[in-house]
Amino acid sequence: SEWLKSSLKICSKSVIFEPDEVNKPILKVNIMLRSSVYLIKEGDVVAPYKYERGERNVIFQLDMPLKTEDVVQTLLQLHRASCLDKLGDQTAMIAANLQSRLARTSFDKNSFQSVTERPHMECEAEMVSPLVTNPGHVCITDHNLYFQPLNSYPDSVVQIGLHSVRRIYKRRHGLRPLGLEVFCTENDLCSDIYLKFYNTKDRDELYYYIATFLENHITEHTAESYMLQWQRGHISNYQYLLHLNNLADRSVNDLSQYPVFPWVISDYSSPQLDLLNPASFRDLSKPVGALNTERLERLLERYRDMPEPRFMYGSHYSSPGYVLFYLVRVAPEHMLCLQNGRYDHADRMFNSVGETWKNCLEGGTDFKELIPEFYGTDSSFLKNLLSLNLGRRQGGGRVGDVELPSWASGSPSNDFLQKMRAALESQHVSEHLHEWIDLIFGYKQRGSEAVAAHNVFHPLTYEGVIDCDSIEDPDQKIAMLTQILEFGQTPRQLFTTPHPQRITPRFHSVSSGTSLMACILSYSASPSLDSFEDLTEESKTLAWSNMNKLALQSSHKIHKEVVTGIAGTLSGTSIFSTSQAVYSSLLTFLSLFLFLFFFLCHISLKRYFYSIAYGRRQDTLMGHDDAVSQVCWRDNQLYTASWDSTIKVWKCVAADISSNKRAHFELLAELEHESGVNTIALSPAGTLLASGTKEGSLSVWDIASCSLLHQIACHSGKIHQVAFSPDSRNILSVGEDSCLKVTDVQTGMLLSTVPAEDEQRCFCWDGNTVLSGGQSGNLLIWDLLSSKVIHKIPAHSGPVTCIWMNEQCSSVITGGEDKQIMFWKHQY
């Protein structure tokens, strides 16, 4: 006999004896089958487990004799559990034993970093790592988050400073909302700790407490806010996919929900990789299973003959087996653990990138996507640096490094990753990545859109299809959960409408048959600006970057009631303002220099045309059945919005009005709404019209055809104002629900919702920065990408009702319920 100093680990179904001498094998004894002994890592070599049959007696002598009784009782309880007939009963007894042990212990506060720390809460939880969960006690104080494992392994305590936390995510674990993952870095794949709680209440309390240490955490980390940053080029394709995976419950600590990335390259045989050739890329609008037409037809034939619930693919695009298929060279112990101590057959290993891609195209059951490591910087997963004996292939060759495409040169593995990353960030992928996002995280993930896109997987892979808590039979519940975890899980659905395309430098070259796309592109693809216009753009950029330096120049109280509107001439020399007088619906004008013009009344059912030069009403037009709420004028067309639920488009020539003769008005179109229209706005190119209603609906119209492109239930309550971004790609709206909302023009998708402390009534914006006025009377400057107010300027003594900004963005005029008109300029 031989005595070896070792550590003893008691797991739920086995006892593990790990010698201090690294060359000695680790012994794993099955609690139920005493004759079942595995020898692991003999000679400190990671290799398939050796299995010893027959009787073998192993004697343990504990360094702490007082713990002997506790260890023996624990082993006896686990053995009794393993002898039960039903798997569900076994699992229930093991769980009860664990809870009993946790209840008899508590967090050791001697582990606090400082005696001045004040504990906020303590509860039981499990620390999650791939294929293993470790029970213990969580304690959070006013300075640190602690986890103390019940078995003091791998450390007696894990400590994370709350002020070092950068991101936190709620997670599904085992299909239940019990997980919490904490990151102390911005873009790292690996978290600092992943905890699984025993009830959602504890998880949520800890989540919101940690969130108080993160500035604007709750509003910053949403799919919509990341989408806006990505769409405008502030984060890379790689970063955006990492964020989406995080938000969709994907974690490197959970192999059943590992982050999923797309195959983007289709050429693995050419000596040179041409990233300017579209043929080098995979079609991102289709799932892997639909890329091969012949195979897809066979799958669809089977699908059509299948009883409900039907599915097109018998395997998933992401599962624990697929993840370890790619990572076996760096995580061999995980592969051996997952496959009962054996590697897969050598010919089924990850031997070649090209072969793997080919099999994904042609194999009858292989539809897997990639993992983030293919676009990272660590190439070790492609090389057999551990000299693992992974077997011999049919041709006789040993499985070694992964065979890479011939276009990977120099240091092949590093060059391969660099070119994969370059492909992911390429122009082509940037223009089509939103199509893949629709399949994996978006509206084509489920329902009729998934069927049309040939994107239907087994029902058990989708969140919410099966409620495991409602299954009463313990055996059936365990079997169902095991099947789900091993088969793979579809990410949580993040978007339910089409994902917008990324704004890229050559975006105008993308062809599209829709009039909407033509409208947008006609503006963005204009010729290069001359030097004067370049100077104007520079001055606009300078003005917006210094919007916090607005200073009040003068204020005027010339109205008897609330100021309802402000407008200026193109030259900026004349300003017009309107007021909602109780006794009249006439307009009051503040004019620095009078010139020939016309103006319209907003309050009456009629529209009055005034000649500024002659100071009299020149024409009257009956047009609506209720009050006119707003008007726009462009290219001899007049757009009138009304509370009668319509917008009317009129043809009238400004020259006729200015010539002091009765003008001819021709009704061109009537745009119907379901409720009163409160505000309208034209796009900078005049090709699109946005409207907001009293009930919170936002509509986008094509001016050329007068057709409705999108109608979105945007706000809960009246929309006060809408406006296009300078590039016509987004619409910003503010409403009674105290929210600023950004909508994508191309898809009609809500990109971002930014809550405000008080109701905002009016605004100007440059596509990223917003200057708004609201109920408080202050002017607020918002950064939409971070979803927060970056500056506050005291202004009116009551709500701000209207804002006007000149074309150069150098002057701002505001009006309010205090009847004041205020003039503002930048003070550099």
Side-chain angles (χ1 to χ4, degrees):
S1 63
E2 177 183 17
W3 290 97
L4 296 175
K5 188 170 179 58
S6 312
S7 61
L8 179 68
K9 302 172 187 174
I10 302 176
C11 303
S12 57
K13 295 185 179 181
S14 62
V15 177
I16 296 175
F17 181 74
E18 186 171 356
D20 290 352
E21 290 184 41
V22 294
N23 288 321
K24 296 293 183 179
I26 299 170
L27 299 185
K28 179 180 178 182
V29 181
N30 188 302
I31 289 176
M32 182 175 182
L33 304 173
R34 286 172 291 173
S35 61
S36 173
V37 178
Y38 291 95
L39 277 63
I40 303 172
K41 286 189 73 175
E42 190 170 13
D44 197 31
V45 174
V46 179
Y49 302 168
K50 289 184 178 180
Y51 179 59
E52 283 196 353
R53 298 183 182 275
E55 287 288 334
R56 176 168 180 174
N57 293 323
V58 181
I59 301 173
F60 303 108
Q61 179 176 314
L62 302 183
D63 288 344
M64 302 177 67
L66 293 176
K67 283 195 172 184
T68 302
E69 182 64 23
D70 185 33
V71 169
V72 170
Q73 290 302 318
T74 300
L75 286 170
L76 287 173
Q77 289 171 353
L78 291 173
H79 183 259
R80 281 198 296 271
S82 70
C83 292
L84 296 174
D85 292 334
K86 293 187 175 181
L87 182 62
D89 293 339
Q90 293 178 20
T91 304
M93 188 170 179
I94 292 170
N97 182 35
L98 173 60
Q99 289 302 315
S100 175
R101 289 181 59 78
L102 286 170
R104 295 197 306 269
T105 56
S106 62
F107 183 84
D108 181 5
K109 294 181 175 59
N110 290 321
S111 300
F112 282 175
Q113 292 289 300
S114 169
V115 294
T116 62
E117 285 188 71
R118 297 194 303 272
H120 173 73
M121 71 172 286
E122 180 182 339
C123 64
E124 292 83 30
E126 296 177 11
M127 186 169 67
V128 179
S129 55
L131 303 178
V132 177
T133 60
N134 204 354
H137 295 275
V138 169
C139 184
I140 191 165
T141 71
D142 53 346
H143 286 88
N144 293 291
L145 169 66
Y146 296 96
F147 177 76
Q148 203 165 63
L150 199 60
N151 58 6
S152 299
Y153 182 86
D155 299 296
S156 59
V157 68
V158 177
Q159 176 255 328
I160 295 174
L162 295 179
H163 288 286
S164 67
V165 176
R166 292 293 173 266
R167 296 177 288 143
I168 54 174
Y169 296 96
K170 293 180 181 179
R171 294 276 186 244
R172 279 182 304 162
H173 189 274
L175 301 184
R176 301 181 66 197
L178 299 174
L180 179 70
E181 195 160 20
V182 180
F183 293 78
C184 294
T185 57
E186 289 294 344
N187 296 306
D188 200 341
L189 262 175
C190 299
S191 63
D192 290 79
I193 194 168
Y194 186 157
L195 295 171
K196 174 211 165 186
F197 295 80
Y198 294 109
N199 62 74
T200 305
K201 179 177 176 293
D202 286 345
R203 190 276 305 268
D204 289 349
E205 182 177 350
L206 201 75
Y207 173 86
Y208 288 113
Y209 184 74
I210 297 175
T212 62
F213 290 83
L214 279 70
E215 184 181 3
N216 289 315
H217 164 79
I218 304 302
T219 55
E220 284 180 8
H221 297 110
T222 63
E224 289 78 12
S225 65
Y226 282 132
M227 181 205 297
L228 194 61
Q229 294 182 55
W230 171 78
Q231 193 190 19
R232 296 186 171 275
H234 294 273
I235 57 177
S236 66
N237 293 340
Y238 176 81
Q239 290 172 316
Y240 186 43
L241 291 177
L242 279 186
H243 289 313
L244 293 184
N245 274 283
N246 265 319
L247 292 169
D249 290 329
R250 314 300 284 192
S251 167
V252 296
N253 285 305
D254 186 350
L255 296 181
S256 68
Q257 298 189 94
Y258 203 83
V260 56
F261 269 58
W263 288 94
V264 297
I265 295 174
S266 64
D267 180 5
Y268 296 96
S269 58
S270 299
Q272 300 293 327
L273 179 63
D274 184 1
L275 295 182
L276 297 179
N277 182 2
S280 299
F281 296 92
R282 165 256 184 107
D283 185 348
L284 288 166
S285 69
K286 297 177 181 178
V288 169
L291 292 174
N292 182 325
T293 307
E294 293 181 7
R295 179 180 64 176
L296 177 62
E297 190 52 45
R298 293 195 300 270
L299 293 168
L300 291 177
E301 285 179 15
R302 187 190 68 175
Y303 172 76
R304 286 188 282 266
D305 295 335
M306 189 182 294
E308 294 291 347
R310 298 186 296 172
F311 53 90
M312 296 177 186
Y313 310 112
S315 62
H316 204 255
Y317 50 77
S318 176
S319 69
Y322 287 161
V323 173
L324 294 178
F325 168 83
Y326 290 127
L327 297 181
V328 64
R329 289 167 177 82
V330 290
E333 290 163 295
H334 291 150
M335 170 72 85
L336 293 171
C337 179
L338 188 70
Q339 299 200 153
N340 297 317
R342 299 187 301 272
Y343 292 127
D344 201 352
H345 190 281
D347 285 303
R348 290 196 296 267
M349 299 286 273
F350 181 32
N351 293 301
S352 161
V353 175
E355 283 181 12
T356 301
W357 168 245
K358 183 182 179 191
N359 199 57
C360 288
L361 287 180
E362 300 174 358
T365 59
D366 192 351
F367 315 108
K368 58 180 170 286
E369 293 279 8
L370 295 182
I371 55 177
E373 283 79 357
F374 280 83
Y375 302 100
T377 57
D378 184 358
S379 62
S380 58
F381 76 102
L382 299 170
K383 295 178 284 188
N384 189 8
L385 299 176
L386 299 175
S387 300
L388 301 170
N389 182 5
L390 299 173
R392 289 185 179 274
R393 304 187 67 181
Q394 285 184 349
R398 283 195 173 274
V399 176
D401 295 348
V402 178
E403 182 184 335
L404 301 175
S406 55
W407 45 254
S409 57
S411 174
S413 57
N414 292 330
D415 188 60
F416 172 74
L417 293 189
Q418 289 170 8
K419 286 176 178 172
M420 289 287 285
R421 182 64 173 268
L424 181 65
E425 305 298 342
S426 68
Q427 181 79 26
H428 180 89
V429 172
S430 293
E431 290 173 355
H432 294 278
L433 187 59
H434 65 287
E435 298 170 335
W436 185 82
I437 293 171
D438 284 335
L439 296 168
I440 307 301
F441 303 103
Y443 82 112
K444 291 183 179 180
Q445 186 195 91
R446 299 182 178 215
S448 59
E449 293 290 350
V451 175
H454 304 131
N455 194 39
V456 182
F457 293 86
H458 194 283
L460 289 180
T461 68
Y462 295 95
E463 180 184 23
V465 172
I466 299 294
D467 180 9
C468 284
D469 291 334
S470 67
I471 302 175
E472 296 182 358
D473 186 311
D475 287 350
Q476 186 181 352
K477 179 187 291 189
I478 295 297
M480 184 73 70
L481 183 58
T482 302
Q483 182 180 351
I484 290 169
L485 296 180
E486 291 181 356
F487 188 84
Q489 297 177 64
T490 299
R492 183 163 65 87
Q493 189 175 27
L494 300 178
F495 309 107
T496 55
T497 55
H499 192 289
Q501 191 174 28
R502 191 174 198 186
I503 301 170
T504 59
R506 289 197 296 113
F507 184 75
H508 61 271
S509 67
V510 181
S511 61
S512 174
T514 65
S515 59
L516 170 60
M517 181 64 74
C519 296
I520 297 173
L521 302 185
S522 64
Y523 179 76
S524 62
S526 57
S528 59
L529 303 171
D530 58 32
S531 58
F532 176 77
E533 289 172 323
D534 283 341
L535 186 61
T536 302
E537 288 304 312
E538 285 183 18
S539 66
K540 288 180 181 179
T541 302
L542 180 64
W544 275 104
S545 63
N546 289 276
M547 201 57 69
N548 61 321
K549 297 179 181 177
L550 276 181
L552 182 64
Q553 304 297 300
S554 62
S555 62
H556 307 269
K557 192 172 183 179
I558 62 172
H559 291 282
K560 295 181 180 180
E561 296 297 333
V562 177
V563 180
T564 57
I566 298 172
T569 62
L570 290 176
S571 64
T573 55
S574 299
I575 304 299
F576 304 87
S577 63
T578 63
S579 166
Q580 184 174 340
V582 174
Y583 54 86
S584 170
S585 59
L586 296 178
L587 304 172
T588 305
F589 302 98
L590 169 63
S591 180
L592 306 179
F593 299 97
L594 290 178
F595 72 113
L596 188 62
F597 197 75
F598 72 95
F599 213 82
L600 301 95
C601 176
H602 289 50
I603 309 303
S604 170
L605 311 187
K606 307 173 182 179
R607 279 169 302 291
Y608 300 102
F609 292 80
Y610 287 84
S611 170
I612 304 303
Y614 295 99
R616 64 172 183 261
R617 190 172 74 193
Q618 188 158 318
D619 207 348
T620 304
L621 176 66
M622 290 295 297
H624 288 277
D625 298 327
D626 204 334
V628 177
S629 54
Q630 193 169 352
V631 297
C632 293
W633 172 280
R634 187 184 179 93
D635 298 334
N636 294 326
Q637 285 192 182
L638 180 69
Y639 304 85
T640 61
S642 171
W643 293 342
D644 67 2
S645 304
T646 67
I647 298 172
K648 293 188 177 180
V649 185
W650 311 81
K651 182 179 180 180
C652 55
V653 181
D656 294 341
I657 300 172
S658 62
S659 63
N660 200 26
K661 66 181 182 181
R662 187 174 183 84
H664 173 69
F665 288 87
E666 177 186 352
L667 182 62
L668 299 178
E670 186 170 321
L671 312 180
E672 297 282 349
H673 295 69
E674 294 179 359
S675 59
V677 183
N678 200 57
T679 179
I680 57 175
L682 282 166
S683 65
T687 52
L688 300 173
L689 180 75
S691 59
T693 70
K694 285 185 171 183
E695 293 184 356
S697 177
L698 172 67
S699 299
V700 184
W701 304 83
D702 182 345
I703 294 300
S705 61
C706 291
S707 59
L708 179 65
L709 299 174
H710 304 295
Q711 188 174 61
I712 309 107
C714 193
H715 291 266
S716 56
K718 182 193 297 182
I719 297 179
H720 292 307
Q721 185 181 346
V722 297
F724 286 85
S725 58
D727 60 9
S728 297
R729 296 181 184 275
N730 299 133
I731 297 170
L732 178 64
S733 56
V734 295
E736 281 183 335
D737 56 4
S738 300
C739 287
L740 292 78
K741 301 204 175 188
V742 180
T743 302
D744 181 70
V745 173
Q746 182 184 349
T747 63
M749 184 178 191
L750 185 64
L751 298 180
S752 179
T753 298
V754 183
E757 290 185 359
D758 63 305
E759 186 178 330
Q760 300 302 293
R761 299 271 292 272
C762 52
F763 66 87
C764 298
W765 76 313
D766 72 341
N768 288 320
T769 307
V770 181
L771 174 67
S772 70
Q775 294 294 104
S776 67
N778 296 318
L779 298 180
L780 303 180
I781 301 170
W782 301 78
D783 176 19
L784 288 182
L785 294 180
S786 63
S787 303
K788 62 184 180 182
V789 175
I790 55 178
H791 195 69
K792 183 183 295 185
I793 304 172
H796 293 264
S797 59
V800 183
T801 53
C802 49
I803 294 181
W804 176 84
M805 183 182 289
N806 68 346
E807 188 179 8
Q808 293 76 28
C809 308
S810 57
S811 298
V812 174
I813 304 174
T814 60
E817 286 192 6
D818 59 2
K819 308 167 191 176
Q820 295 274 357
I821 294 177
M822 295 184 173
F823 290 76
W824 307 80
K825 289 189 76 69
H826 294 89
Q827 294 292 330
Y828 296 115

